């Protein structure tokens, strides 16, 4: 763990540009991945500065869930409102992480109040800090009612314990507030609340997940990234409350072959299944030392090294000679990428927003595709912007 400014001579892994380390801010979005509890998580780190907001826009376009990072000192700032509008536009469910609780002047309660007043979110703490600023020792898990401490030089050893006596009354009040906020946005928990039943831990977690996916509730987590406090519970929450690729409906548009303007919307199969044709979206182009690097989100099927794919905008075909997974500015060659994955290709002539597919010449007519909405064969022209959850609702 390092600071972005790189005072230690190393700097943060995801902020690899020299300019980023000089300025102490993220300038361009960077992709990486991690495995947490045997689940692969693709991560895109985006800038927070208003001048670089297009980097957030094109990243949110392909993400299934997000973590909105707030500063415990600064709270909700101008650009937070812009990012909030972008997440709403793309219907991205999200968690909120209030960072820098170890800084002088940190006030997470004020940041939560600003989320409610400035962003109009139904938000509540799912954690509570044990001390603030230099006294920040750990967090209290309000759902499971236990204290969590982070031992070791880098906070890598997670230790659980009883809630300290002086925090028990405040923790009980915060937990009740959490239940009320979730009950306001989830029908099942709302019924239990009206019947004055005490929800179990699993009931509460399932209700938070449903409300988060509907974007009707925002769980708020706490910690200090530099000290690695609160990061492990946040990763647990990503697995518990954010959707996996197979739970997010994504659509493709199928153009008619007679040049008519009629378009058919097709639901893509986002499961890890190679029997469906490949459909991917180029969402970012980057000039690297090996030429143009094209970041692609795989929405359906399987992309293999050596495959021939078609750009549906230009009709040109190209062979995938090298397939890599990105870890900031480092690359790892891979043989295949399944639905839900993010990869990068070299030597592809395309524009940002182009769709790629392995055009199926099996003679399947457009009318058959209409009747079978789970197949996306044929010349898919583009991917719909509707990659959200269930309809119009008001959640990285």
């Amino acid at each position: 763990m390092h600071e972005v400014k790189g005072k230690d001579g190393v700097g943060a892994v995801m902020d690899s540009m020299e300019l980023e380390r000089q300025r102490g801010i993220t300038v361009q979005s960077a992709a990486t991945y991690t495995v947490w509890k045997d689940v692969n998580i693709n991560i895109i780190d985006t800038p927070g500065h208003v001048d670089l907001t297009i980097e957030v826009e094109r990243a949110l376009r392909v993400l299934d869930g997000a973590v909105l990072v707030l500063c415990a000192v600064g709270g909700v700032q101008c650009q937070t409102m812009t990012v909030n509008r972008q997440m709403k536009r793309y219907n991205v469910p999200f968690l909120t992480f209030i960072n820098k609780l170890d800084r002088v002047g940190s006030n997470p309660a004020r940041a939560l109040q600003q989320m409610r007043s400035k962003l109009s979110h139904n938000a509540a703490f799912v954690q509570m800090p044990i001390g603030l600023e230099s006294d920040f020792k750990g967090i209290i898990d309000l759902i499971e009612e236990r204290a969590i401490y982070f031992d070791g030089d880098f906070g890598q050893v997670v230790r659980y314990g009883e809630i300290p006596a002086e925090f028990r009354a405040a923790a009980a009040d915060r937990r009740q507030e959490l239940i009320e906020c979730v009950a306001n946005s989830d029908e099942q928990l709302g019924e239990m609340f009206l019947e004055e039943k005490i929800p179990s831990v699993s009931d509460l977690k399932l209700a938070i997940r449903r409300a988060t996916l509907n974007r009707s509730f925002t769980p708020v987590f706490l910690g200090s990234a530099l000290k690695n406090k609160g990061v492990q519970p946040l990763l647990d929450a990503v697995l518990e409350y954010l959707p996996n690729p197979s739970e997010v409906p994504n659509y493709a548009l199928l153009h008619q072959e007679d040049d008519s303007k009629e378009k058919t919307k097709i639901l893509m199969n986002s499961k890890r299944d190679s029997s469906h044709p490949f459909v991917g979206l180029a969402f970012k182009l980057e000039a690297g030392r090996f030429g143009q690097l094209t970041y692609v989100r795989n929405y359906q099927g399987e992309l293999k090294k050596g495959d021939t794919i078609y750009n549906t905008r230009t009709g040109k075909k190209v062979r995938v000679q090298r397939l890599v997974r990105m870890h900031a500015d480092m690359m790892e060659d891979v043989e295949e990428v399944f639905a839900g994955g993010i990869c990068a290709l070299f030597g592809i002539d395309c524009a940002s927003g182009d769709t790629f597919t392995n055009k199926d010449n099996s003679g399947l007519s457009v009318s058959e595709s209409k009747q079978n909405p789970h197949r996306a064969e044929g010349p898919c022209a583009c991917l719909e912007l509707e990659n959200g959850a269930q309809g119009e609702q008001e959640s990285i």
Side-chain angles (χ1 to χ4, degrees), residues 160-194:
Y160 300 97
E162 293 286 323
I163 298 176
E166 64 270 26
F167 291 104
R168 283 176 191 162
D173 292 342
R174 286 290 187 189
R175 190 175 197 271
Q176 187 61 27
E177 182 187 350
L178 169 65
I179 293 171
E180 289 176 16
C181 287
V182 179
N184 285 335
S185 56
D186 183 73
E187 194 173 321
Q188 293 182 34
L189 193 71
E191 288 178 2
M192 293 181 69
F193 184 76
L194 292 174

Side-chain angles (χ1 to χ4, degrees), residues 7 26 119-120 129 141 174 214 226 243 250 270 278 283 296 323 333 335 339 365 370 388 395:
K7 293 176 183 176
T26 303
L119 303 181
S120 302
D141 185 342
R174 286 290 187 189
N214 285 331
L226 186 62
N250 293 295
S270 300
F278 163 72
F283 66 93
V296 175
L323 194 60
D333 283 276
E335 294 297 319
S365 67
K370 284 183 182 177
S395 105

Side-chain angles (χ1 to χ4, degrees), residues 313-363:
R313 179 178 61 87
T314 64
K316 294 179 180 177
K317 66 178 181 178
V318 65
R319 190 167 180 269
V320 180
Q321 296 185 348
R322 189 181 178 194
L323 194 60
V324 297
R325 292 177 78 184
M326 301 300 296
H327 180 57
D329 59 339
M330 293 176 281
M331 304 170 193
E332 176 196 347
D333 283 276
V334 292
E335 294 297 319
E336 59 194 11
V337 176
F338 286 93
I342 291 175
C343 61
L345 312 174
F346 288 98
I348 305 289
D349 181 22
C350 67
S352 182
D354 283 357
T355 299
F356 290 95
T357 178
N358 55 350
K359 195 172 180 180
D360 195 326
N361 296 317
S362 60

Side-chain angles (χ1 to χ4, degrees), residues 21 24 30 49 64 67 89 99 102 125 133 137 151 212 227 229 260 273 287 320 329 337 347 352 367 369 394:
R21 292 176 180 178
H49 197 275
D64 300 318
V67 178
R89 182 183 308 135
N99 192 20
D102 55 335
F125 287 128
E133 301 178 358
K137 298 181 179 66
D151 301 331
T212 302
K227 302 288 178 64
K229 292 182 178 178
S260 68
D273 184 359
V320 180
D329 59 339
V337 176
S352 182
S367 60
S369 288
E394 183 42 26

